[in-house]
Amino acid sequence: IEKKKKMYCSRRSLFLINQATLSPLLRTTIYSKRWIKIYTKTGDKGLSSLYSGERKPKTDPVFDALGDVDELNSSLGLVVAFGPQPEIQGLIQRIQIIQSELLDVGSAIATPRQTSPEAKLVRAQFDSSRIDKLEKWIDEMETELPKLTNFILPGGGQCASFIHSSRSICRRAERKATCLFFDDKVEQSVSQYLNRLSDFLFVSARYACMKLNYPEVIYKKP
């Protein structure tokens, strides 16, 4: 970029940047008065910061829950990557919405109820109406699915298998969030959302299996 278009990280300088010369990553990174630095070295001694400003050991249950939610979100990224078929595009779009909502789940977990300023608690509050939305989506898919009369095994094609894997991770994240709820560190809507999300993912796996014409594998007692 020419000298007169140097990338000073201020709002005024954004008008001087030739956007066509920047990569998508840079375009999404330059949105505030400073660059987002990937490494800060502040966690090298085993401590990390919460949204509340507290610094806690990385072994704290809060970070354990945050890690599981992050793992869940990454696993859903695999679902999106391996589910481009037109038959399930509506489902994939919903999963992408859920990925964004999981970032909000993380914000709520990273703002402990007992020790966070009121302003941050309000900002990180998790909207319980999202639970109702998941239930609506579940009901819509179940109207198309055959009645479940047997236990089924995780599988049913690549996309459905990835969804089942995400469901298992979701259950783990829910257990960690529930522990925080019992300790009054996170609002109940967070653990409820993860509980309902695991149900949504179970039904979604069946739905993807049906739409992509894979047979469900029925449990058979040896």
Side-chain angles (χ1 to χ4, degrees):
I1 300 177
E2 299 171 6
K3 286 186 177 180
K4 65 179 180 180
K5 295 179 181 177
K6 284 183 178 178
M7 290 180 285
Y8 298 106
C9 293
S10 68
R11 290 183 180 178
R12 181 176 178 275
S13 67
L14 292 181
F15 293 100
L16 302 177
I17 297 173
N18 183 351
Q19 292 287 325
T21 65
L22 298 178
S23 69
L25 174 61
L26 289 177
R27 286 199 295 272
T28 56
T29 301
I30 311 173
Y31 70 92
S32 65
K33 292 185 178 180
R34 62 184 180 85
W35 293 93
I36 296 176
K37 195 172 182 63
I38 299 301
Y39 63 90
T40 62
K41 302 183 181 180
T42 57
D44 287 353
K45 294 183 179 180
L47 300 177
S48 191
S49 296
L50 296 172
Y51 178 57
S52 62
E54 300 172 82
R55 289 189 63 77
K56 289 181 173 289
K58 294 184 178 183
T59 54
D60 190 273
V62 172
F63 292 116
D64 213 9
L66 286 172
D68 285 346
V69 171
D70 184 36
E71 183 182 350
L72 169 59
N73 210 337
S74 297
S75 71
L76 290 176
L78 285 173
V79 174
V80 173
F82 285 94
Q85 297 91 334
E87 295 89 347
I88 56 171
Q89 275 311 289
L91 173 60
I92 295 302
Q93 289 170 2
R94 289 176 173 180
I95 288 175
Q96 288 178 311
I97 292 172
I98 289 167
Q99 285 187 284
S100 292
E101 292 179 346
L102 285 174
L103 294 183
D104 294 334
V105 168
S107 295
I109 292 173
T111 314
R113 289 166 55 86
Q114 297 174 333
T115 56
S116 299
E118 183 64 26
K120 290 193 173 182
L121 284 172
V122 171
R123 186 172 183 180
Q125 187 175 17
F126 190 78
D127 185 0
S128 61
S129 67
R130 294 167 171 177
I131 300 169
D132 298 330
K133 179 182 62 182
L134 288 178
E135 291 176 352
K136 179 183 177 182
W137 289 350
I138 291 170
D139 292 342
E140 288 176 359
M141 288 188 290
E142 286 200 314
T143 60
E144 297 186 48
L145 288 170
K147 187 176 180 180
L148 187 63
T149 57
N150 296 284
F151 289 111
I152 60 172
L153 303 182
Q158 192 174 56
C159 184
S161 297
F162 277 123
I163 297 175
H164 275 298
S165 179
S166 295
R167 173 185 56 80
S168 299
I169 298 170
C170 186
R171 284 296 189 195
R172 175 162 30 97
E174 179 200 348
R175 291 192 294 271
K176 303 289 178 61
T178 300
C179 288
L180 295 177
F181 165 66
F182 286 156
D183 291 337
D184 198 29
K185 292 181 179 179
V186 71
E187 53 195 313
Q188 188 177 18
S189 58
V190 169
S191 56
Q192 287 177 329
Y193 176 84
L194 292 171
N195 183 19
R196 208 69 78 253
L197 178 56
S198 63
D199 295 331
F200 169 82
L201 292 173
F202 176 78
V203 176
S204 295
R206 295 194 66 215
Y207 184 82
C209 191
M210 178 191 71
K211 288 293 185 178
L212 298 176
N213 295 315
Y214 285 97
E216 289 186 316
V217 182
I218 304 300
Y219 161 76
K220 296 179 180 179
K221 189 173 182 178

